[in-house]
């Protein structure tokens, strides 16, 4: 018992690792602030393309969404970080992370938006268009507000997945939360920093997970 | 009908095909200013499709539709500019559930006609007043009865001051006790000189408000005439059979 506490819940070591871990947390938050809006915007673009009247646009959107949903995000990130230099581009870790997450999360958000848009009945389009509103106006004022409300739990849920996924940035040596905690572990030969990092993820995400349950109940009602 | 006055709505040789099925097989129809024309017929006759071709919610396969002398099927026509002159009321109301009654009415005034918000709200309140719902301006559709929702939908179309209004079975989704309120609003519109093309089976209303009744079947106009004649002494066997069915 004593050994377990020493190895995993060592408060002295946690305290020593804290500054490093907090700087990691800052990087994690920075990644989130960058990639979540990028993904939400990219996803919306994908959804609109996939509903386009132009067959080629629909086809491109579906192909893109399928491709980037099928590719493991870790593979995508390593390819961009380690592969692009062969094409003469040398992205910084943050740039590589932003590109990989943009491609990966846009496709997921895109599918969610698409389901939301399809959940709004044709009658809403008919009514709005019959008053002279243009297609994009109908989308912006009538369909999207209802669509987003209908799929809000899924959007938030996916955002939680994105936050958790930011830990893969550690493989390109971006010193985010997990990377910092792992560094602290290797210096102290003690797992307590990892436990601390896990606790921080939990504290960040648990309220959001609760929120999703409440949103789901509201949408179902 | 009288000659000389140019029609508000002029439909010529209108055809509509969905895949291989021809829903409209050559419709010719004139609606004169201030006329209330009723369209009746069995389901699948093409009544709704006819209305939806009149503002190009459905794209006609052939023929032309002119509104106020402008061919709305022409490529050069700005259909969005024309649509605000063609009010439409739907069977299922189709109010925007996330907006108040007033916002439902003012949205197109602001976004299509580019009215300043204050003026749009004044016009919106006036339109709601005409349907007797000025006191429900701040209510959301979910808080209104079906009859009230349909009257808000009428106000939404009315606020744009259309030249003609299309009604697609405006009372068929309503509980019987709520039908009267909607028909009263339509009667008021008629009195105010609105031109209307109405798909509905409210026979009593047609008898005392319609100028003409058109009986459609299988994508064609079978016969037309004043309501008294169509309902009492129709000349076509198909019309007679349908009217008998309705009367039961």
């Amino acid at each position: 018992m004593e050994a377990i506490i020493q190895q995993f819940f060592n408060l002295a070591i946690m305290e020593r690792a804290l500054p490093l871990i907090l700087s990691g947390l800052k990087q994690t938050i920075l990644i989130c602030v960058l990639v979540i809006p990028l993904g939400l915007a990219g996803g919306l673009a994908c959804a609109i393309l996939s509903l386009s009247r132009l067959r080629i646009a629909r086809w491109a959107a579906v192909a893109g969404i399928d491709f980037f949903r099928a590719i493991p995000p870790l593979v995508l990130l390593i390819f961009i970080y380690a592969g692009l230099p062969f094409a003469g581009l040398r992205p910084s870790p943050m740039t590589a992370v932003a590109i990989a997450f943009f491609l990966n999360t846009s496709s997921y958000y895109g599918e969610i938006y698409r389901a939301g848009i399809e959940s709004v009945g044709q009658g809403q389009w008919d009514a709005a268009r019959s008053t002279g509103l243009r297609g994009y106006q109908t989308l912006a004022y009538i369909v999207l507000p209802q669509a987003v409300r209908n799929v809000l739990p899924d959007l938030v849920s996916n955002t939680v997945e994105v936050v958790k996924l930011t830990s893969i940035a550690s493989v390109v040596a971006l010193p985010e939360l997990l990377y910092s905690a792992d560094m602290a572990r290797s210096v102290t030969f003690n797992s307590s920093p990892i436990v601390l990092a896990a606790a921080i993820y939990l504290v960040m995400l648990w309220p959001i997970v609760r929120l999703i349950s409440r949103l789901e109940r509201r949408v179902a009602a | 009908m009288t000659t000389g006055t140019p029609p508000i709505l002029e439909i010529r040789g209108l055809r509509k095909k969905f895949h291989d099925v021809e829903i409209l097989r050559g419709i010719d129809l004139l609606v004169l200013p201030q006329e209330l024309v009723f369209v009746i017929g069995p389901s699948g006759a093409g009544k709704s499709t006819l209305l939806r071709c009149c503002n190009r919610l459905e794209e006609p396969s052939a023929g032309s539709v002119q509104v106020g002398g402008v061919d709305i099927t022409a490529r050069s026509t700005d259909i969005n500019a024309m649509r605000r002159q063609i009010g439409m009321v739907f069977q299922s109301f189709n109010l925007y559930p996330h907006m108040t009654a007033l916002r439902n009415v003012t949205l197109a005034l602001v976004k299509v006609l580019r009215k300043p918000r204050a003026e749009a709200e004044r016009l919106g309140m006036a339109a709601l007043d005409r349907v007797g719902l000025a006191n429900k301006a701040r209510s959301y559709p979910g808080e209104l009865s079906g009859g009230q929702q349909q009257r808000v939908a009428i106000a939404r179309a009315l606020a744009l001051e259309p030249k003609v209004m299309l009604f697609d079975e405006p009372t068929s989704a309503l509980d019987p006790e709520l039908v009267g309120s909607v028909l009263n609003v339509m009667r008021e519109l008629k009195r105010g000189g609105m031109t209307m093309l109405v798909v509905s089976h409210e026979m009593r209303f047609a008898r005392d408000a319609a100028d003409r009744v058109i009986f459609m079947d299988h994508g064609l106009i079978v016969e037309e005439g004043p309501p008294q004649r169509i309902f009492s002494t129709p000349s076509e066997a198909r019309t007679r059979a349908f009217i008998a069915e309705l009367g039961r």
Side-chain angles (χ1 to χ4, degrees):
Chain A
M1 191 63 200
E2 183 69 8
I4 288 176
I5 290 174
Q6 273 300 313
Q7 187 57 32
F8 293 103
F9 301 98
N10 191 322
L11 290 180
I13 283 180
M14 283 186 186
E15 203 185 333
R16 257 172 60 206
L18 193 61
L20 186 60
I21 285 183
L22 284 182
S23 81
L25 175 62
K26 222 168 86 186
Q27 287 295 311
T28 291
I29 291 172
L30 192 66
I31 298 172
C32 291
V33 168
L34 185 66
V35 303
I36 292 170
L38 269 179
L40 284 168
L44 188 56
C46 285
I48 291 171
L49 272 183
S50 73
L51 295 165
S52 161
R53 249 179 310 172
L54 289 174
R55 185 171 307 195
I56 181 97
R58 276 204 311 267
W59 188 87
V62 170
I65 288 174
D66 282 2
F67 182 79
F68 288 111
R69 284 211 305 173
I71 291 270
L74 190 54
V75 174
L76 188 62
L77 177 57
I78 291 174
F79 174 79
I80 288 168
Y81 185 66
L84 284 189
F86 290 103
L89 298 164
R90 200 163 284 281
S92 70
M94 190 57 106
T95 308
V97 165
I99 296 172
F101 272 79
F102 174 69
L103 295 173
N104 175 261
T105 59
S106 291
S107 57
Y108 279 93
Y109 280 126
E111 275 300 284
I112 295 171
Y113 280 121
R114 201 170 61 90
I117 290 171
E118 281 172 359
S119 75
V120 177
Q122 179 65 31
Q124 293 287 309
W125 287 94
D126 288 348
R129 297 307 302 272
S130 78
T131 62
L133 287 173
R134 290 168 190 279
Y136 73 89
Q137 292 176 316
T138 303
L139 193 65
Y141 301 124
I142 306 301
V143 177
L144 276 182
Q146 298 181 60
V148 167
R149 185 179 305 193
N150 290 349
V151 294
L152 198 56
D154 303 288
L155 285 174
V156 179
S157 200
N158 194 54
T159 304
V160 169
E161 293 304 315
V162 173
V163 173
K164 289 193 282 188
L165 201 60
T166 56
S167 56
I168 69 170
S170 56
V171 302
V172 294
L174 203 161
E176 46 68 70
L177 185 51
L178 176 65
Y179 185 89
S180 309
D182 196 44
M183 216 152 76
R185 180 196 58 76
S186 63
V187 172
T188 58
F189 299 105
N190 187 292
S191 298
S192 301
I194 303 285
V195 172
L196 180 57
I200 291 175
Y201 277 118
L202 189 69
V203 167
M204 269 201 306
L205 295 177
W206 182 69
I208 307 179
V209 173
R210 285 299 336 140
L211 175 74
I212 294 169
S213 303
R214 292 182 58 174
L215 287 175
E216 275 169 346
R217 247 174 290 146
R218 201 196 67 188
V219 169
Chain B
M1 293 266 93
T2 53
T3 50
T5 19
I8 295 266
L9 181 64
E10 182 171 352
I11 300 169
R12 292 273 177 220
L14 181 64
R15 289 171 180 273
K16 175 63 185 176
K17 246 185 189 171
F18 287 107
H19 307 292
D20 279 341
V21 188
E22 202 163 32
I23 302 293
L24 297 178
R25 301 189 294 151
I27 300 283
D28 294 285
L29 175 63
L30 298 183
V31 180
L32 299 176
Q34 314 206 343
E35 236 192 333
L36 196 168
V37 176
F38 235 73
V39 183
I40 60 171
S43 64
K47 308 179 299 280
S48 287
T49 307
L50 172 63
L51 285 197
R52 292 170 63 85
C53 283
C54 291
N55 63 356
R56 266 176 64 192
L57 282 183
E58 301 294 352
E59 211 61 60
S61 310
S64 72
V65 177
Q66 292 194 21
V67 175
V70 178
D71 185 355
I72 65 161
T73 54
R75 264 188 181 282
S76 55
T77 303
D78 176 0
I79 186 61
N80 294 305
M82 289 308 294
R83 277 182 180 148
R84 65 191 188 220
Q85 304 178 25
I86 311 166
M88 189 161 197
V89 176
F90 302 86
Q91 180 176 358
S92 48
F93 328 138
N94 298 345
L95 290 185
Y96 315 134
H98 59 303
M99 294 181 183
T100 63
L102 184 59
R103 273 278 281 161
N104 265 274
V105 178
T106 56
L107 184 72
L109 290 170
V110 175
K111 301 299 177 191
V112 180
L113 296 184
R114 303 274 165 212
K115 303 264 188 207
R117 184 159 296 267
E119 195 194 343
E121 297 208 340
R122 192 175 53 74
L123 294 170
M125 285 307 293
L128 284 174
D129 194 44
R130 280 184 75 179
V131 300
L133 288 174
N135 60 332
K136 298 289 183 189
R138 306 277 162 215
S139 303
Y140 284 86
E143 303 161 352
L144 300 174
S145 75
Q148 291 170 331
Q149 288 189 51
Q150 191 61 298
R151 281 146 69 198
V152 172
I154 293 173
R156 173 173 67 186
L158 202 54
L160 297 167
E161 298 184 4
K163 289 191 173 125
V164 55
M165 286 184 75
L166 312 169
F167 290 83
D168 190 3
E169 306 211 25
T171 57
S172 8
L174 295 176
D175 292 333
E177 75 271 20
L178 301 175
V179 168
S181 66
V182 171
L183 295 182
N184 282 339
V185 167
M186 292 172 68
R187 248 182 223 109
E188 277 305 314
L189 291 180
K190 164 77 177 152
R191 213 165 293 153
M194 179 60 74
T195 308
M196 297 189 259
L197 184 58
V198 180
V199 171
S200 168
H201 292 142
E202 298 290 344
M203 291 231 280
R204 208 132 45 99
F205 177 73
R207 267 180 200 278
D208 59 49
D211 296 299
R212 240 185 324 150
V213 174
I214 287 176
F215 176 68
M216 273 181 76
D217 196 13
H218 293 301
L220 288 170
I221 292 177
V222 177
E223 74 172 301
E224 62 177 293
Q228 281 70 22
R229 192 182 68 70
I230 297 288
F231 290 134
S232 310
T233 54
S235 42
E236 300 287 326
R238 268 188 291 173
T239 318
R240 217 170 302 141
F242 178 75
I243 305 272
E245 195 67 33
L246 265 191
R248 268 208 280 178

